[in-house]
Amino acid sequence: MPSSLQMASRIFGPATRSFANIEAVPTKRLLPALRNASGPQCRAYTQSQRPRSAQQFPGTFAARHEFSTTAFRARAKTMGQLRQRNSTGPFSWKAALLFVLTGAGMVIYFRVEKARLERKRIAEMSKGVGRPKVGGPFVLKDLDGKEFTEEDLKGKYSFVYFGFTHCPDICPDELDKMAEIIEKVKEATKGENIFLPVFITCDPARDTPEVLREYLKEFHPGIIGLTGTYEQVKNVCRQYRVYFSTPKDVKAGEDYLVDHSIYFYLMDPDNDFVECIGRQDTPESASKVILEHINDWKREGKPLKTQ
């Protein structure tokens, strides 16, 4: 009788051989397959099966799934800028400075414009109906004996003063002021010949052209001296609302005093009165007023004579 071992080998032997064959066959067949898995077909398959988002947005996929230090630094810099912007708010110091400068410029502009309109209003009021007009037609003679009328004042700003050469103190002081004003206006306008200083005598009997020439030369060579007959001088004083007490019929060598109004009359290029300068005004304040009117005239684009 066969032994127990022989019986067991007969029963389990085929099963063991089948199991060994089953275990061995896949190993032999899988090795070539695994080798082929790293080839081009596998890579093509892998790329074709990547998510659509990775194919359409390769940069985004790389930034999310690949640890790149470059992308991280760029993102960190951008976040830092955003944090800095959020910390300062919508306004920066440049925006604040621009706001302040714009506001200051507007305030200055409105103040200058308001002052200009006020000067214009006062000048228009002096021309109004029912008010005494300062200035008007006259006929006098200059120091060369030529006829000089109100038409010769047009086209420039004229600065008219009434006085006489025998005045002990007031006229010399005012003519010194006039000389300073002439120089200041000339300097501010860069030598433009648009300002005409005029001295009209209230004492025609003694203030002949020769006397006036020597007298005015002591103050400023640019002052235009005018004289005439007694009636002519009386008429121009009436036109400018100037009071004077010169006697009409005086004898040669007779001594007398003359009382008169002490004002400078600023006339615009249309020969309309715009401002009155008194003894309380300094050369600086008077020059400022004159230049303001000249600049207003230029700003409005009105013509000025320079000859």
Side-chain angles (χ1 to χ4, degrees):
M1 173 179 281
S3 62
S4 300
L5 292 173
Q6 291 175 348
M7 292 291 291
S9 63
R10 291 176 181 173
I11 296 171
F12 295 104
T16 304
R17 286 193 300 270
S18 300
F19 180 79
N21 293 333
I22 293 171
E23 185 178 10
V25 170
T27 304
K28 294 178 180 180
R29 293 178 179 176
L30 285 174
L31 286 175
L34 289 174
R35 293 192 195 99
N36 295 332
S38 60
Q41 294 179 355
C42 181
R43 287 196 296 270
Y45 172 82
T46 305
Q47 292 177 0
S48 64
Q49 296 300 319
R50 288 175 67 183
R52 293 186 62 189
S53 59
Q55 297 175 21
Q56 297 174 357
F57 309 103
T60 306
F61 184 82
R64 291 182 178 178
H65 296 84
E66 297 180 8
F67 295 96
S68 173
T69 56
T70 304
F72 178 78
R73 287 174 187 163
R75 186 167 64 253
K77 183 178 180 181
T78 305
M79 293 300 295
Q81 291 176 348
L82 290 174
R83 281 195 293 270
Q84 183 179 4
R85 182 176 180 182
N86 292 333
S87 64
T88 57
F91 294 103
S92 63
W93 66 269
K94 292 182 179 179
L97 180 61
L98 179 62
F99 178 79
V100 171
L101 292 177
T102 303
M106 292 181 66
V107 170
I108 294 172
Y109 170 78
F110 283 118
R111 285 184 178 178
V112 172
E113 188 66 13
K114 181 180 179 182
R116 185 186 71 82
L117 293 175
E118 182 65 19
R119 289 191 298 269
K120 186 175 181 179
R121 184 184 68 82
I122 294 174
E124 291 295 331
M125 285 177 60
S126 66
K127 308 174 190 177
V129 178
R131 294 178 178 273
K133 180 178 173 61
V134 177
F138 64 85
V139 177
L140 294 171
K141 288 186 177 181
D142 63 16
L143 302 184
D144 295 324
K146 296 179 181 179
E147 187 178 89
F148 193 101
T149 70
E150 77 283 353
E151 293 296 322
D152 294 302
L153 298 178
K154 291 185 177 181
K156 301 181 180 183
Y157 271 88
S158 55
F159 199 50
V160 183
Y161 181 75
F162 293 83
F164 65 108
T165 61
H166 285 71
C167 183
D169 48 11
I170 295 176
C171 286
D173 291 342
E174 294 302 288
L175 287 174
D176 281 334
K177 181 195 296 184
M178 191 181 205
E180 289 188 52
I181 293 171
I182 294 170
E183 289 300 316
K184 289 182 180 297
V185 172
K186 184 178 180 180
E187 180 181 0
T189 57
K190 298 180 180 180
E192 287 185 287
N193 188 21
I194 57 176
F195 185 63
L196 200 64
V198 178
F199 179 89
I200 300 177
T201 182
C202 295
D203 186 12
R206 292 182 294 190
D207 291 345
T208 62
E210 293 75 17
V211 172
L212 274 178
R213 181 179 286 107
E214 293 300 320
Y215 181 73
L216 296 176
K217 190 189 302 181
E218 298 178 5
F219 299 98
H220 198 282
I223 301 175
I224 297 174
L226 299 179
T227 186
T229 65
Y230 180 86
E231 293 298 329
Q232 288 175 333
V233 171
K234 182 179 179 180
N235 173 65
V236 70
C237 288
R238 183 167 58 247
Q239 297 289 350
Y240 280 83
R241 304 295 183 265
V242 174
Y243 165 78
F244 77 110
S245 63
T246 306
K248 183 178 181 180
D249 298 317
V250 293
K251 297 178 181 180
E254 185 178 353
D255 191 17
Y256 55 90
L257 292 176
V258 176
D259 191 15
H260 62 91
S261 303
I262 308 170
Y263 290 106
F264 291 96
Y265 299 90
L266 180 64
M267 315 295 288
D268 69 14
D270 291 333
N271 203 26
D272 290 323
F273 170 77
V274 293
E275 200 77 39
C276 188
I277 306 296
R279 296 191 67 188
Q280 74 279 3
D281 292 292
T282 64
E284 291 75 18
S285 64
S287 301
K288 181 176 180 294
V289 170
I290 294 168
L291 290 170
E292 286 174 346
H293 284 286
I294 292 176
N295 292 331
D296 290 344
W297 188 273
K298 289 181 177 180
R299 194 177 293 114
E300 293 178 5
K302 297 180 180 180
L304 281 168
K305 284 184 180 179
T306 57
Q307 298 296 329

